[in-house]
Amino acid sequence: MMKFLAKFGKLDRRIVFGLLLATILIPLLFSVKSRFYVDSATQKVFDYVDKIEPNGRPLMISFDYDPQVAAELDPMARAVLRHCFARNVKVVGLSLAPQGDAIGEGIMTQVAREFNKKHGVDYSYFGYRPGMTIIMLQMGVNVSKALPLDYYQAPYDSLPMMANIHNYDDIALILSLAGSTYPVSWMIYAGTKFKVKIAAGQTAVMAPDNYPFLQTGQFVGQLGGMKGGAEYEQLIVDAGYYGKPDVASKAMNAIAYSHLLIILLIVLGNVGYFISRKLDKSKQS
Amino acid sequence: MSTNIWVWIAALLSLAIFSYLYKDNPVFRFAEHLFTGLSVGYFIVLYWNNYTLPYIVTPLQNRQWLTLIPMAIGLMYLFRFIPKLNYLILIPIAASLGFWNGMSIPLTFEADVLKQIQGTMVNTSMFANIWDPRKGLMVGLLVMIGVISTISYFYFSREHKGALKVSANVGIWFVMIGFGATFGYTVMARVSLLIARMQFLFTDWIHLIK
């Protein structure tokens, strides 16, 4: 038994990969269900968006991420857009990350089609704007100067929904979706200077860094990783804004079982390590 | 099975990358080099279309000659390659540093330092509901103890003895809990990416998951 347990201290990494693959695939293939609870940080974003006046000040979504983290951030982008469009909240989209340009366009077009929303009337997408902090600061003074042309090269003034949007006073909330520190930059340059409300949608790696800002209220709320997306999907389904949960909710089952496997492997790995050390010592003596 | 050629290309390239998990091989290296080449090509086009064309070429075509000043300052970075004129790169560095510091320091100080110190303080509103898990006095005290003890661990001007040792040891626990939370989130992030790829392969490619 001791020798068997000692083997877990030196487990071949390919066995770990195989086990992880199995724990991910089985829940996905056989629709195994697990429960998850909505975090207060996600609930706060939902509650804030839920209170935005329909056809009033728009929500601004900044797609500040690259394809390598799209798996975590796409579901939350879709869920928030569905929430907005179901409530007739107008949306302004842009990207401050070079590769976020096409990602934002794809998601906004797809969700707008689901709800029969028209570009320029119900939502506008401006694509990638270089300059990051310059754009953040410039929009506080004049949005049309910071975003002169939309993604399809139409001038700002030709978009009916942008007629009443001059600066951050005309924006209800900015949601920055990112796998890096873009939301913090939004909070510093737009939130602190112009007092516009900021929410973060972050990859799980970045999410813990934002808890100090959540505690002080510098962020309205935060969607953290795949779980944040799944929670938001669940919230819009529970509130009756959308028919069924999407990909993030399905992924949560696989996440739950893979986390259990990782915890088990950490425990067994440590037990194996200490037993093999003990066995080595007894061999030497 | 999908009939979309792009889904097939994406699926086969995903498998090529995954093959590295077994061991390094030519299929993985092909996919890796293809990715690198595509990224470089993408960024060259992107920088040309989003920076060079709108901020240099178009203004010069419209006879906006003031564009030449920032352009000249930017080009001074290239003096790095001319040893005799090497010192001239200090000009664009100074311009860049001055601009960013002027823009960032006041706002960063307010958002990252003042607001965070404010958030650490115990205030009178916390006495209204002592046990509130978010805004109660006990949470306020916990945050305050956590911040002070963690900072004391990083105070190296005195040997960690007596009260400082106790405080630093408490600080280590807070740091470890922080690392644990970060590790948990990191595991979830990596697993999420794998799950999404599996969802793509088994849903979009071979249609096994509905």
Side-chain angles (χ1 to χ4, degrees), chain B residues 8 17-19 21 44 50 54 76 78 83 89 91 103 109 113 116-117 121 131 156 169 187 190 196-197:
Chain B
W8 271 86
I17 294 291
F18 278 136
S19 70
L21 292 173
I44 288 172
N50 286 290
M76 282 180 180
L78 298 176
I89 66 158
I91 294 170
M103 190 177 69
F109 192 78
V113 182
Q116 289 302 308
I117 291 173
M121 287 175 182
W131 298 103
F156 302 119
N169 284 343
V187 169
R190 303 302 176 230
R197 214 61 323 233

CSV table of all heavy atoms in Angstrom, one decimal, chain B residues 8 17-19 21 44 50 54 76 78 83 89 91 103 109 113 116-117 121 131 156 169 187 190 196-197:
chain,number,residue,atom,x,y,z
B,8,TRP,N,-12.3,22.5,-40.1
B,8,TRP,CA,-11.3,21.4,-40.2
B,8,TRP,C,-9.9,21.9,-39.9
B,8,TRP,O,-9.1,21.3,-39.2
B,8,TRP,CB,-11.5,20.7,-41.6
B,8,TRP,CG,-12.5,19.7,-41.6
B,8,TRP,CD1,-13.8,19.8,-41.8
B,8,TRP,CD2,-12.2,18.3,-41.3
B,8,TRP,NE1,-14.4,18.6,-41.7
B,8,TRP,CE2,-13.5,17.6,-41.4
B,8,TRP,CE3,-11.1,17.5,-41.1
B,8,TRP,CZ2,-13.6,16.2,-41.2
B,8,TRP,CZ3,-11.2,16.1,-40.9
B,8,TRP,CH2,-12.5,15.5,-41.0
B,17,ILE,N,-1.2,21.2,-32.0
B,17,ILE,CA,-0.7,21.9,-30.8
B,17,ILE,C,-0.8,20.9,-29.6
B,17,ILE,O,0.2,20.8,-28.8
B,17,ILE,CB,-1.4,23.2,-30.5
B,17,ILE,CG1,-1.2,24.2,-31.6
B,17,ILE,CG2,-1.1,23.8,-29.1
B,17,ILE,CD1,0.2,24.8,-31.7
B,18,PHE,N,-1.9,20.2,-29.4
B,18,PHE,CA,-2.1,19.3,-28.3
B,18,PHE,C,-1.1,18.2,-28.4
B,18,PHE,O,-0.7,17.6,-27.3
B,18,PHE,CB,-3.5,18.7,-28.3
B,18,PHE,CG,-4.5,19.6,-27.7
B,18,PHE,CD1,-5.8,19.8,-28.3
B,18,PHE,CD2,-4.3,20.2,-26.5
B,18,PHE,CE1,-6.7,20.6,-27.7
B,18,PHE,CE2,-5.2,21.1,-25.9
B,18,PHE,CZ,-6.4,21.3,-26.5
B,19,SER,N,-0.6,17.8,-29.6
B,19,SER,CA,0.4,16.7,-29.7
B,19,SER,C,1.6,17.0,-28.9
B,19,SER,O,2.3,16.0,-28.5
B,19,SER,CB,0.7,16.5,-31.1
B,19,SER,OG,1.5,17.5,-31.6
B,21,LEU,N,1.8,17.7,-25.9
B,21,LEU,CA,1.5,17.2,-24.5
B,21,LEU,C,2.2,15.8,-24.4
B,21,LEU,O,2.6,15.4,-23.3
B,21,LEU,CB,0.0,17.1,-24.2
B,21,LEU,CG,-0.7,18.4,-24.0
B,21,LEU,CD1,-2.1,18.2,-23.9
B,21,LEU,CD2,-0.1,19.2,-22.8
B,44,ILE,N,1.7,43.5,-38.6
B,44,ILE,CA,2.3,44.4,-39.6
B,44,ILE,C,1.1,45.2,-40.3
B,44,ILE,O,1.1,46.4,-40.4
B,44,ILE,CB,3.2,43.7,-40.6
B,44,ILE,CG1,4.5,43.3,-40.0
B,44,ILE,CG2,3.5,44.6,-41.8
B,44,ILE,CD1,5.3,42.4,-40.8
B,50,ASN,N,-3.6,51.1,-38.7
B,50,ASN,CA,-4.2,51.8,-37.5
B,50,ASN,C,-3.2,52.9,-37.0
B,50,ASN,O,-3.7,53.8,-36.2
B,50,ASN,CB,-4.5,50.9,-36.4
B,50,ASN,CG,-5.7,50.1,-36.6
B,50,ASN,OD1,-6.8,50.6,-36.6
B,50,ASN,ND2,-5.6,48.8,-37.0
B,54,PRO,N,-3.2,56.4,-40.7
B,54,PRO,CA,-4.0,57.5,-40.2
B,54,PRO,C,-3.2,58.6,-39.5
B,54,PRO,O,-3.7,59.8,-39.5
B,54,PRO,CB,-5.0,56.9,-39.2
B,54,PRO,CG,-4.4,55.6,-38.8
B,54,PRO,CD,-3.5,55.2,-39.9
B,76,MET,N,13.9,59.4,-33.9
B,76,MET,CA,15.1,59.5,-33.1
B,76,MET,C,15.5,58.2,-32.3
B,76,MET,O,16.6,58.0,-32.0
B,76,MET,CB,15.0,60.7,-32.1
B,76,MET,CG,15.2,62.0,-32.8
B,76,MET,SD,15.1,63.4,-31.6
B,76,MET,CE,15.4,64.8,-32.6
B,78,LEU,N,15.8,55.5,-33.6
B,78,LEU,CA,16.7,54.8,-34.5
B,78,LEU,C,18.1,55.2,-34.3
B,78,LEU,O,19.0,54.5,-34.8
B,78,LEU,CB,16.2,54.9,-36.0
B,78,LEU,CG,14.8,54.4,-36.3
B,78,LEU,CD1,14.5,54.7,-37.7
B,78,LEU,CD2,14.7,52.9,-36.0
B,83,PRO,N,26.3,54.6,-33.2
B,83,PRO,CA,27.0,54.8,-31.9
B,83,PRO,C,27.3,56.3,-31.6
B,83,PRO,O,27.2,56.8,-30.5
B,83,PRO,CB,28.3,54.0,-32.1
B,83,PRO,CG,27.9,52.9,-33.0
B,83,PRO,CD,26.9,53.6,-34.0
B,89,ILE,N,18.7,59.5,-28.5
B,89,ILE,CA,17.5,58.7,-28.2
B,89,ILE,C,16.9,59.2,-26.8
B,89,ILE,O,15.8,58.9,-26.5
B,89,ILE,CB,17.7,57.2,-28.1
B,89,ILE,CG1,18.6,56.7,-27.0
B,89,ILE,CG2,18.1,56.6,-29.5
B,89,ILE,CD1,18.4,55.3,-26.6
B,91,ILE,N,16.1,62.1,-26.2
B,91,ILE,CA,15.0,63.1,-26.5
B,91,ILE,C,13.6,62.4,-26.6
B,91,ILE,O,12.7,62.8,-25.9
B,91,ILE,CB,15.3,63.9,-27.8
B,91,ILE,CG1,16.6,64.7,-27.6
B,91,ILE,CG2,14.1,64.8,-28.3
B,91,ILE,CD1,17.2,65.4,-28.8
B,103,MET,N,0.5,62.4,-17.1
B,103,MET,CA,-0.8,62.0,-17.3
B,103,MET,C,-1.2,61.0,-16.2
B,103,MET,O,-2.3,60.9,-15.7
B,103,MET,CB,-0.9,61.3,-18.7
B,103,MET,CG,-2.4,61.0,-19.1
B,103,MET,SD,-2.4,60.3,-20.7
B,103,MET,CE,-1.7,58.7,-20.4
B,109,PHE,N,-2.2,57.8,-8.4
B,109,PHE,CA,-2.0,58.0,-7.0
B,109,PHE,C,-3.4,58.1,-6.3
B,109,PHE,O,-3.6,57.5,-5.3
B,109,PHE,CB,-1.2,59.3,-6.7
B,109,PHE,CG,-0.8,59.5,-5.3
B,109,PHE,CD1,0.3,58.8,-4.8
B,109,PHE,CD2,-1.5,60.3,-4.4
B,109,PHE,CE1,0.7,58.9,-3.5
B,109,PHE,CE2,-1.1,60.4,-3.1
B,109,PHE,CZ,0.0,59.7,-2.7
B,113,VAL,N,-3.6,54.6,-4.6
B,113,VAL,CA,-3.1,54.8,-3.2
B,113,VAL,C,-4.1,55.4,-2.3
B,113,VAL,O,-4.5,54.8,-1.3
B,113,VAL,CB,-1.8,55.7,-3.3
B,113,VAL,CG1,-1.2,55.9,-1.9
B,113,VAL,CG2,-0.8,55.1,-4.2
B,116,GLN,N,-7.3,53.3,-1.9
B,116,GLN,CA,-7.0,52.0,-1.3
B,116,GLN,C,-6.8,52.2,0.2
B,116,GLN,O,-7.2,51.4,1.0
B,116,GLN,CB,-5.8,51.3,-2.0
B,116,GLN,CG,-6.2,50.8,-3.3
B,116,GLN,CD,-7.3,49.8,-3.3
B,116,GLN,OE1,-7.3,48.8,-2.6
B,116,GLN,NE2,-8.3,50.0,-4.1
B,117,ILE,N,-6.1,53.3,0.6
B,117,ILE,CA,-5.9,53.6,2.0
B,117,ILE,C,-7.2,53.8,2.7
B,117,ILE,O,-7.5,53.3,3.8
B,117,ILE,CB,-4.9,54.8,2.2
B,117,ILE,CG1,-3.5,54.4,1.7
B,117,ILE,CG2,-4.9,55.3,3.6
B,117,ILE,CD1,-2.5,55.6,1.7
B,121,MET,N,-9.3,51.7,6.0
B,121,MET,CA,-9.6,52.3,7.3
B,121,MET,C,-11.0,51.8,7.8
B,121,MET,O,-11.9,51.6,7.1
B,121,MET,CB,-9.7,53.8,7.1
B,121,MET,CG,-8.3,54.4,7.0
B,121,MET,SD,-8.4,56.2,6.7
B,121,MET,CE,-6.6,56.6,6.5
B,131,TRP,N,-21.4,42.6,12.2
B,131,TRP,CA,-21.1,41.3,11.6
B,131,TRP,C,-21.5,41.2,10.1
B,131,TRP,O,-21.4,40.1,9.5
B,131,TRP,CB,-21.9,40.2,12.3
B,131,TRP,CG,-21.5,40.1,13.7
B,131,TRP,CD1,-22.1,40.6,14.8
B,131,TRP,CD2,-20.2,39.5,14.2
B,131,TRP,NE1,-21.4,40.3,16.0
B,131,TRP,CE2,-20.2,39.7,15.6
B,131,TRP,CE3,-19.1,38.9,13.6
B,131,TRP,CZ2,-19.2,39.3,16.4
B,131,TRP,CZ3,-18.1,38.5,14.4
B,131,TRP,CH2,-18.1,38.7,15.8
B,156,PHE,N,12.0,45.6,5.9
B,156,PHE,CA,13.3,44.9,6.1
B,156,PHE,C,14.3,45.8,6.8
B,156,PHE,O,15.5,45.4,6.9
B,156,PHE,CB,13.8,44.5,4.7
B,156,PHE,CG,12.9,43.6,4.0
B,156,PHE,CD1,12.4,44.0,2.7
B,156,PHE,CD2,12.5,42.4,4.5
B,156,PHE,CE1,11.5,43.1,2.0
B,156,PHE,CE2,11.6,41.5,3.8
B,156,PHE,CZ,11.1,41.9,2.6
B,169,ASN,N,4.7,37.3,10.9
B,169,ASN,CA,4.2,35.9,10.7
B,169,ASN,C,2.7,35.9,10.4
B,169,ASN,O,2.2,35.1,9.6
B,169,ASN,CB,4.4,35.1,12.0
B,169,ASN,CG,5.9,34.7,12.1
B,169,ASN,OD1,6.6,34.7,11.1
B,169,ASN,ND2,6.3,34.3,13.3
B,187,VAL,N,-5.9,27.9,-12.0
B,187,VAL,CA,-6.3,26.6,-12.4
B,187,VAL,C,-7.6,26.6,-13.2
B,187,VAL,O,-7.7,26.1,-14.3
B,187,VAL,CB,-6.5,25.6,-11.2
B,187,VAL,CG1,-7.1,24.3,-11.6
B,187,VAL,CG2,-5.1,25.4,-10.5
B,190,ARG,N,-7.0,28.0,-16.8
B,190,ARG,CA,-6.3,27.1,-17.7
B,190,ARG,C,-7.3,26.0,-18.1
B,190,ARG,O,-7.4,25.6,-19.3
B,190,ARG,CB,-5.1,26.5,-17.1
B,190,ARG,CG,-4.0,27.5,-16.7
B,190,ARG,CD,-3.6,28.4,-17.9
B,190,ARG,NE,-2.7,29.4,-17.4
B,190,ARG,CZ,-2.8,30.7,-17.7
B,190,ARG,NH1,-3.9,31.1,-18.5
B,190,ARG,NH2,-2.0,31.6,-17.3
B,196,ALA,N,-13.0,24.9,-23.5
B,196,ALA,CA,-13.5,25.6,-24.6
B,196,ALA,C,-13.0,24.9,-25.9
B,196,ALA,O,-13.8,24.8,-26.9
B,196,ALA,CB,-13.1,27.0,-24.6
B,197,ARG,N,-11.8,24.5,-25.9
B,197,ARG,CA,-11.2,23.8,-27.1
B,197,ARG,C,-11.9,22.5,-27.3
B,197,ARG,O,-12.2,22.1,-28.4
B,197,ARG,CB,-9.7,23.6,-26.9
B,197,ARG,CG,-8.8,23.7,-28.1
B,197,ARG,CD,-8.7,24.9,-28.9
B,197,ARG,NE,-9.7,25.8,-29.3
B,197,ARG,CZ,-10.0,26.1,-30.5
B,197,ARG,NH1,-9.4,25.6,-31.5
B,197,ARG,NH2,-10.9,27.0,-30.8
